[in-house]
Amino acid sequence: MTGIEHYLSIFTKAVFIENIVLAYFLGLCSFLAISKKIDASVGIGLAVIVVLTITAPINWFLWEFLLDKGALVWISSDFQDTDLGFLKLIVFISVIAAMVQLVEMTLDRFAPKLYISLGIFLPLIAVNCAILGGSMFLVEREYTFLESTVYGFGSGIGFFMAIASMAAIRHRIRYSNVPSELRGVGITMLLTGLVSMAFMAFSGIDL
């Protein structure tokens, strides 16, 4: 598999087969809390796309040229055995926090209503395990710079699809006769499991 087919495969897997929420169940806190409203879900989904697309290649660059064992060899051959991998979590989270702050300031400036509706959940993206998981996966899978960018964008699209679809479903079930014991988080967890099972059907796709 070469060229565009390879990157299309990475993108498709990130969106459908290895969906960051529905396959790995990362970021469920914001997923369950914000999917009550469609507008807020779309807003947080777009914010996650932006943050993941930006932070994935940045964190790849930092890993390859700063943190990985021998990454500092470009400075001097004396650093060929230097391993700063233990700083991975701190550095990755710092980059994510900086990008989230940038998105937060942008929304506050150009979309104040959306900024207010997202409330505390927008800054919480900085510690969203879905965002951090994207950076951790690209290191584990040894992606290249371009592969990391495609994967980050695909993971963001996957999160957007998951939370937007869940918001639409929760909006419709407002008019359904849900048993009182299951209303709220209960029915949402069941729906999440059902949607996750539906996405499992894409696991048979092989590009």
Side-chain angles (χ1 to χ4, degrees), residues 22-95:
L22 301 176
Y24 294 105
F25 299 104
L26 298 177
L28 281 179
C29 177
S30 57
F31 176 78
L32 295 175
I34 300 178
S35 59
K36 296 177 182 179
K37 299 180 180 179
I38 295 179
D39 292 342
S41 298
V42 171
I44 201 70
L46 292 175
V48 167
I49 291 175
V50 172
V51 173
L52 264 173
T53 305
I54 296 175
T55 57
I58 291 177
N59 284 335
W60 175 90
F61 184 86
L62 292 173
W63 173 256
E64 290 292 326
F65 295 99
L66 181 64
L67 303 176
D68 196 13
K69 183 177 182 180
L72 295 175
V73 72
W74 58 275
I75 299 178
S76 172
S77 58
D78 296 335
F79 296 109
Q80 61 182 353
D81 295 325
T82 302
D83 186 358
L84 299 178
F86 63 93
L87 296 174
K88 179 171 57 178
L89 288 177
I90 297 175
V91 173
F92 285 1
I93 292 175
S94 297
V95 171

